[in-house]
Amino acid sequence: ELSVKHPQSGCSFGGRFYSLEDTWHPDLGEPFGVMHCVKCYCETQRGRKGKVLGKVSCKNIKQDCPEPSCDDPVLLPGQCCKTCPKDFAEVLTDLNSRELFWLSRGQLVITVETEGQDPRHISGFITGRKSCDTIQSVMSSGDALTPGKTGGVGSAFFHLHDNGTLDYQVQLVGVSSEVVGLTIELKPRRRSKRSVLYDLTPEFDRPSGRAAGSWSRLEARHIHMLLQNELFINVATAHSQEGELRGQIKALLYSGLEAPRHEIPVPLAGQFVAPPVLTSAGGHAWVSVDERCHLHYEIVVAGLSKADDLTVNAHLHGLAEIGELDERSTNHKRLLTGFYGSQAQGVLKDISVELLRHLDRGTAFIQVSTKVNTRGEIRGRVHVPNNCEFGTKGEVELAEFDDLFVRDPEELKKDPHTCFFESQHHAHGSLWTPNYNHCFTCSCQKRTVICDPVICPVLTCSRTIQPDDKCCPMCVERKNSKDMKAPERLDEHPEGCYFEGDQKMHAPGSTWHPFVPPFGYIKCALCTCKGATGEVHCEKVTCPALTCSRPVRRSPSDCCKECLEEDKPPLEHADMMQADGTSHCKFGKNFYQNSDNWHPRVPLMGEMKCITCWCDHGVTKCQRKQCPVLTCSNITRREDMCCPECQGKTNTHTHTYIHTHHAP
């Protein structure tokens, strides 16, 4: 097994940890891939008290490419700069079954030899890439072939040996009925046609809900699919024969944290929330406490809103917390982080003695909350034995006291909790209006920027105005009459009201939905600025009585349910930003109608013409242009082409051959 010492300082980027002074090309994942013309650098900086920190900086390096000295330079796959032809490549398409077997067992050798009077050669075994990444899967009801909301979860992690053997450990909790099948599968061509590769059911122990064992007969193509995140694990139950839970098997990139990935993770399920939540989501977490009594955590979730997963925008996906299982106590609960996408990770340093004791006793929990379920979407019980009866060791964090003072820009750059957004540094806990759209409110939550669109309240007055510097319309006063009470004048209290939630001044007489970081705007409450006194009065929204039999909540963030109408008016642009329907898609800052297609734009790279995205009933889908497999030895790619192509044959002076090497 590969043992790696965890570095003390470095940079986290895209879920991967880099040491100080490291350089790399960012990988944006499928279908974008590696940005070969962008180079990132982990720059060394000094923080407070001389602590060494890392800062990521990236730039486009295409303009730095040297001018080739030959007349016919080529652009090789995986390169940014054109070079003179000298390399060669070949695709072997005729490996027999025996050779493929030795390849899967790590016993195939590749040798390169040179010609001439003094020939030289180098050789080595062809094996899987050595990595500290973890192959794992979260199985949720939301990702099942027929999606549901059961509140159950499955958790699995794997270890691939050099000889092609795959060790696995699986645990299931909260399923609705008896487990009748546990299988590793391919992506089905049709929903009703599953492709099972390996059956884990015989190793499943129903009383404990666990399965552990080894798959020793993987073929080379199966190993390739495993490392390319193309395999799935499916859980069939008596009530859901095709699958109640399902998850993609994929690599969790090494983060540099001291989380015990060699141990089975803590399952996070809606069934463990108090009261239980029938959610489509599930998750698991690795948690540890180091010798300094700092908490290291890594959380992976699946099955949350797919529309949010696939849009590249700043919407809060989850909120991770740690706390005590006793619901009667609210003191021993801490925010871990707000996060986008499907992963959250970090280190919590200032933990109370009480919370450390609960971790030691196994009476603590990890919880992920969302805007839909603010009191908890999924939860899991955590038991981390520790010897921290006197609390955290080491320097005391001063972040709470720093918020009382105006932060110096240079100090902000050194603070590891600072957010960098729109070329400016923002302190942890701060709020601001972004430059790209003044109808959003952004907050910084420990290096994570969360932006929410302003939600305007419904006005009941007959006359409104739209101030140029405001996002929402306001009521205006009418002439006073004997039989009608006039609204408060806008100039009775010219200073207006200061609201702590969004840290803004509100005009006298104005109403708004309160902003509560990090959940954003709360539609179930309405605040009003009393013009005469400058006081803010907030009250819960009263929902109207409905006469229909099946009222629905149009958007998860809506407070009140409503009756559906057959003829719905078309959505305006502002409504599209807040709607959770199935007709429109949001990608970056743009909105698209159903069936629209476009080429996505990536910072520093511009338009990605080789990738096409389209809107499929509210879900954004993207795909890279499929390129044919080339069998020629000289492959090149023109700058204006998406796919590589064959060049004319040239003579080479190097021989490569493959042979097997194994024990008799």
Side-chain angles (χ1 to χ4, degrees):
E1 293 190 3
L2 187 63
S3 176
V4 176
K5 184 179 180 181
H6 298 285
Q8 298 299 317
S9 300
C11 301
S12 292
F13 186 91
R16 186 181 289 273
F17 186 84
Y18 297 92
S19 300
L20 295 174
E21 313 300 327
D22 274 359
T23 60
W24 68 95
H25 300 290
D27 187 352
L28 303 186
E30 292 297 333
F32 300 93
V34 178
M35 300 289 102
H36 295 287
C37 286
V38 176
K39 179 175 283 188
C40 295
Y41 172 64
C42 183
E43 180 183 352
T44 303
Q45 289 194 341
R46 291 282 177 181
R48 290 180 298 180
K49 299 185 179 180
K51 186 177 180 180
V52 177
L53 304 171
K55 177 185 176 183
V56 176
S57 60
C58 300
K59 72 170 186 175
N60 192 319
I61 60 172
K62 193 168 185 178
Q63 62 271 19
D64 300 330
C65 290
E67 191 68 29
S69 57
C70 55
D71 296 330
D72 54 346
V74 295
L75 182 63
L76 297 174
Q79 301 294 321
C80 176
C81 302
K82 289 186 175 181
T83 57
C84 295
K86 61 181 180 180
D87 297 332
F88 68 95
E90 184 178 359
V91 177
L92 300 178
T93 59
D94 56 349
L95 288 179
N96 58 39
S97 59
R98 192 69 175 169
E99 290 167 337
L100 287 172
F101 175 80
W102 293 122
L103 176 64
S104 68
R105 298 302 180 262
Q107 295 180 331
L108 206 60
V109 174
I110 183 169
T111 300
V112 179
E113 290 185 347
T114 61
E115 291 182 337
Q117 296 181 347
D118 186 20
R120 299 179 182 181
H121 77 275
I122 56 175
S123 63
F125 288 97
I126 303 175
T127 64
R129 178 175 60 91
K130 294 294 185 292
S131 170
C132 293
D133 301 343
T134 301
I135 304 174
Q136 51 84 54
S137 178
V138 173
M139 294 149 272
S140 68
S141 56
D143 289 330
L145 294 180
T146 303
K149 293 185 177 182
T150 67
V153 69
S155 170
F157 76 101
F158 307 83
H159 178 72
L160 180 64
H161 296 275
D162 287 343
N163 64 0
T165 299
L166 183 68
D167 296 338
Y168 57 84
Q169 291 195 54
V170 184
Q171 60 178 336
L172 307 176
V173 295
V175 291
S176 62
S177 56
E178 181 183 3
V179 174
V180 297
L182 181 61
T183 51
I184 295 177
E185 304 180 356
L186 302 175
K187 184 177 181 180
R189 293 191 178 95
R190 299 188 303 273
R191 176 168 292 184
S192 60
K193 187 68 175 178
R194 292 162 44 207
S195 301
V196 176
L197 284 183
Y198 186 71
D199 189 359
L200 288 70
T201 311
E203 280 74 42
F204 181 70
D205 179 62
R206 286 179 174 81
S208 65
R210 296 193 174 191
S214 298
W215 180 11
S216 59
R217 295 187 176 274
L218 270 81
E219 299 177 11
R221 65 187 184 96
H222 296 157
I223 296 176
H224 172 77
M225 298 173 76
L226 174 72
L227 299 178
Q228 293 295 315
N229 304 335
E230 295 176 359
L231 299 184
F232 298 80
I233 185 166
N234 194 79
V235 180
T237 61
H239 291 167
S240 301
Q241 295 284 334
E242 287 299 311
E244 179 176 321
L245 305 175
R246 189 176 179 89
Q248 184 179 11
I249 301 174
K250 52 186 176 181
L252 179 63
L253 300 180
Y254 173 64
S255 65
L257 298 174
E258 298 179 19
R261 289 193 182 178
H262 59 281
E263 300 176 1
I264 197 163
V266 175
L268 306 177
Q271 296 284 356
F272 293 154
V273 179
V277 176
L278 293 180
T279 174
S280 61
H284 60 203
W286 285 274
V287 186
S288 67
V289 174
D290 63 20
E291 67 278 359
R292 295 170 296 173
C293 298
H294 296 168
L295 180 79
H296 298 247
Y297 64 90
E298 288 188 273
I299 303 170
V300 182
V301 297
L304 286 176
S305 172
K306 292 186 177 180
D308 287 344
D309 285 347
L310 295 173
T311 53
V312 185
N313 55 15
H315 281 133
L316 176 68
H317 194 159
L319 178 76
E321 300 170 299
I322 187 168
E324 156 189 7
L325 283 173
D326 188 355
E327 294 296 325
R328 296 169 296 178
S329 173
T330 58
N331 297 326
H332 309 145
K333 190 175 179 182
R334 286 293 309 277
L335 170 70
L336 291 175
T337 184
F339 64 98
Y340 315 132
S342 60
Q343 298 178 25
Q345 56 194 13
V347 181
L348 186 63
K349 297 181 179 179
D350 49 339
I351 315 176
S352 66
V353 175
E354 292 83 0
L355 192 50
L356 286 165
R357 287 174 181 165
H358 284 292
L359 286 166
D360 186 57
R361 298 170 186 162
T363 53
F365 67 83
I366 288 277
Q367 177 171 284
V368 175
S369 304
T370 63
K371 287 186 178 180
V372 180
N373 291 298
T374 57
R375 294 179 60 85
E377 181 102 15
I378 53 177
R379 175 188 285 193
R381 184 169 182 165
V382 183
H383 182 205
V384 184
N386 62 80
N387 298 310
C388 300
E389 61 271 16
F390 300 111
T392 342
K393 304 177 180 69
E395 63 180 63
V396 179
E397 293 291 321
L398 302 177
E400 296 180 6
F401 301 99
D402 290 343
D403 293 339
L404 300 175
F405 306 97
V406 177
R407 303 293 298 275
D408 179 71
E410 292 303 317
E411 287 296 321
L412 278 178
K413 294 180 182 179
K414 301 174 183 177
D415 189 341
H417 292 159
T418 293
C419 298
F420 187 73
F421 188 79
E422 292 185 330
S423 302
Q424 290 187 354
H425 290 86
H426 299 270
H428 165 64
S430 62
L431 302 174
W432 70 93
T433 300
N435 296 328
Y436 75 90
N437 192 327
H438 72 281
C439 288
F440 276 71
T441 297
C442 297
S443 64
C444 175
Q445 303 289 329
K446 289 191 176 180
R447 295 188 301 176
T448 300
V449 175
I450 302 167
C451 296
D452 288 271
V454 173
I455 299 176
C456 298
V458 177
L459 302 180
T460 57
C461 53
S462 59
R463 293 185 59 200
T464 63
I465 60 171
Q466 178 63 62
D468 293 337
D469 59 341
K470 302 293 182 183
C471 296
C472 300
M474 297 172 54
C475 291
V476 295
E477 71 165 323
R478 293 189 293 183
K479 296 295 182 181
N480 202 354
S481 62
K482 294 182 180 179
D483 58 346
M484 183 180 296
K485 182 180 178 182
E488 295 171 300
R489 295 178 56 88
L490 295 182
D491 57 356
E492 285 182 4
H493 198 276
E495 293 83 5
C497 305
Y498 179 78
F499 183 60
E500 187 67 32
D502 56 17
Q503 300 177 13
K504 292 180 180 179
M505 291 295 297
H506 294 267
S510 61
T511 59
W512 68 94
H513 293 296
F515 184 83
V516 180
F519 290 107
Y521 289 92
I522 307 299
K523 282 189 174 181
C524 285
L526 195 64
C527 297
T528 304
C529 175
K530 299 297 182 180
T533 62
E535 295 179 351
V536 175
H537 176 69
C538 298
E539 59 184 10
K540 186 177 180 180
V541 171
T542 301
C543 295
L546 302 177
T547 57
C548 57
S549 59
R550 301 182 65 183
V552 297
R553 188 172 280 108
R554 288 184 182 272
S555 172
S557 62
D558 287 347
C559 179
C560 299
K561 292 184 178 181
E562 55 184 293
C563 296
L564 287 177
E565 299 177 4
E566 292 185 0
D567 298 322
K568 294 186 292 185
L571 289 174
E572 298 294 334
H573 178 74
D575 296 325
M576 289 168 61
M577 295 178 67
Q578 299 171 13
D580 194 35
T582 59
S583 301
H584 306 84
C585 298
K586 186 176 188 297
F587 190 93
K589 301 177 185 177
N590 300 318
F591 291 88
Y592 299 91
Q593 300 283 348
N594 186 42
S595 300
D596 281 356
N597 60 77
W598 65 95
H599 296 301
R601 299 189 68 85
V602 175
L604 297 178
M605 292 298 296
E607 188 179 41
M608 307 291 290
K609 293 185 177 181
C610 297
I611 295 174
T612 301
C613 298
W614 65 96
C615 180
D616 183 8
H617 296 87
V619 177
T620 300
K621 298 181 179 179
C622 297
Q623 186 175 31
R624 181 179 289 275
K625 181 178 179 180
Q626 298 296 315
C627 297
V629 176
L630 303 179
T631 59
C632 53
S633 60
N634 292 308
I635 299 176
T636 183
R637 182 169 62 86
R638 287 187 290 169
E639 197 166 352
D640 58 341
M641 300 291 290
C642 293
C643 296
E645 55 188 6
C646 293
Q647 258 200 339
K649 294 184 178 180
T650 59
N651 294 326
T652 61
H653 299 281
T654 307
H655 298 299
T656 304
Y657 59 90
I658 293 177
H659 65 276
T660 60
H661 179 83
H662 57 91

